[in-house]
Amino acid sequence: MRRDGNPEFIEALARGLDVLRCFEPGRPAMTLSEVATATSLARPTARRILITLEQLGYVRGTDGTFSLTPRVLELGMAYIGSVSLWELARPHLRELVRQTNESCSIAQLDGSDIVYVARVAVPKLVALAVTIGTRFPALPTSLGKVLLAALTPAELDRALAEPSRAGVPSRWTADRGEIDAALREVRARGWASTDQQLALGIRSIAAPIRDGDGKVVAAVNVNAHAAETTMETLVDHHLPLLLRTASAISTDWDAWHSRPLETIDV
C-alpha cells in the first residue's frame, strides 16, 4: 500500500484489495490467521474485511476458511470489457498461434510488472504457468521490454522504482546502463526478444500494439520453449508474423476507439 501522506488515500480500501489479492494459486482457501499473516493485518481488521467481502459476495466462508467467489471475476472483466482488448485481439491471436504453433499473449504494464490480459495457449511443457492476470517482472520479458521502451524518461524512472509484486525472481540482473541500452535497442528495431532471462527454458519475441496516435497501449508476443524452438526460428520465421499481427490489432484498436457513439433515451 502507498502511504505517502496523500490525504486522499483510502487505507481501508487498500486493505480490502490486499485481502483479495492474497488468495494466490496454491492457496485458494485460507483461515483468518493465514489471511492476517499474508496481508500483515491485525486479526480483527482482517476479520472485518473478510466479513464485508463476504456480505458483498466476493468471499465465501466455510468451516473456518475463506475463499474467493466467482464474483471476483467481475472486477477483472470490467477492465477487459471496458477496453474490449480481448474481443479485438482474439481472432488475430488465434491466427498467430495457428501459424507459429506457439502460445501467444498480450500484456500491459503495471508499475514494474507486466500483467497478462489476453492469451491463446498451445499445450506444451513450460517452466511458468500463465493465465489471464498473471504478473511477471517486466524487465526480463519481451513484453515488458516493449512496454518499458515506450515510456518517457520520467515514466521509466517511476516504473523501475516500483518494487515488483509478481513474486517471481528474474534471472537477468542488470544495472541501469545495461537496462537503458537494452531499451534503446528495442526502440530502434521496434520489437524485443528475451532468451531465458525470466526463467530457464523460456524465450520469446514481442511487438507493440499502438493506438491511433501511435502510443503503445499493450504488447503482443510469441512464447516458445528453448528445447523446441531456436532464437533463429523466432526471429526469422515468427517475427514477421508477429509484426503483422501487432499491426492488425493496432488497426482494430484504433477503429474501435474511433467509432461514433450515440446515446438516446427510450
Side-chain angles (χ1 to χ4, degrees):
M1 294 182 290
R2 297 184 180 130
R3 298 181 176 90
D4 57 4
N6 188 335
E8 304 297 328
F9 184 83
I10 304 175
E11 187 160 330
L13 175 59
R15 289 173 172 175
L17 294 174
D18 281 346
V19 168
L20 288 176
R21 286 195 296 264
C22 79
F23 291 89
E24 298 176 341
R27 52 178 184 182
M30 304 172 67
T31 65
L32 172 59
S33 295
E34 289 171 335
V35 170
T37 299
T39 57
S40 300
L41 295 173
R43 280 174 55 94
T45 302
R47 179 176 177 276
R48 289 195 300 271
I49 292 173
L50 286 167
I51 290 174
T52 301
L53 292 172
E54 185 175 22
Q55 291 184 358
L56 292 173
Y58 294 109
V59 166
R60 178 185 298 111
T62 306
D63 297 330
T65 63
F66 297 88
S67 58
L68 300 182
T69 72
R71 188 171 186 182
V72 172
L73 291 173
E74 294 176 359
L75 302 176
M77 292 309 296
Y79 169 72
I80 293 175
S82 68
V83 297
S84 300
L85 185 55
W86 169 235
E87 290 301 324
L88 292 174
R90 177 166 50 186
H92 300 295
L93 283 183
R94 286 179 172 172
E95 178 61 16
L96 184 58
V97 169
R98 186 192 67 78
Q99 294 172 331
T100 63
N101 194 35
E102 305 284 5
S103 298
C104 302
S105 306
I106 292 177
Q108 293 181 301
L109 195 65
D110 182 20
S112 62
D113 294 335
I114 59 167
V115 179
Y116 285 77
V117 297
R119 180 169 171 84
V120 177
V122 175
K124 289 189 176 184
L125 176 66
V126 293
L128 294 172
V130 177
T131 60
I132 302 303
T134 291
R135 177 183 293 269
F136 289 139
L139 275 173
T141 69
S142 60
L143 291 163
K145 285 184 172 67
V146 165
L147 296 168
L148 291 171
L151 300 180
T152 66
E155 290 170 337
L156 179 60
D157 288 341
R158 287 195 295 270
L160 295 180
E162 289 198 29
S164 171
R165 294 190 283 116
V168 178
S170 170
R171 298 185 68 243
W172 185 47
T173 56
D175 60 30
R176 185 56 188 267
E178 292 172 310
I179 292 170
D180 289 340
L183 297 183
R184 280 197 302 270
E185 182 180 14
V186 173
R187 296 186 197 103
R189 66 187 185 181
W191 55 276
S193 65
T194 56
D195 188 4
Q196 306 182 80
Q197 290 181 328
L198 177 64
L200 283 173
I202 296 178
R203 54 176 50 136
S204 66
I205 51 175
I209 297 172
R210 302 178 184 272
D211 63 15
D213 297 322
K215 179 181 178 181
V216 175
V217 294
V220 56
N221 83 340
V222 176
N223 184 81
H225 196 283
E228 299 177 344
T229 306
T230 64
M231 286 302 300
E232 288 74 16
T233 297
L234 277 174
V235 174
D236 296 342
H237 180 266
H238 296 350
L239 178 60
L241 301 172
L242 172 67
L243 293 175
R244 285 200 292 271
T245 299
S247 177
I249 296 174
S250 297
T251 298
D252 285 357
W253 175 282
D254 181 38
W256 172 261
H257 287 277
S258 300
R259 72 197 189 283
L261 294 175
E262 180 180 1
T263 302
I264 61 173
D265 295 325
V266 295

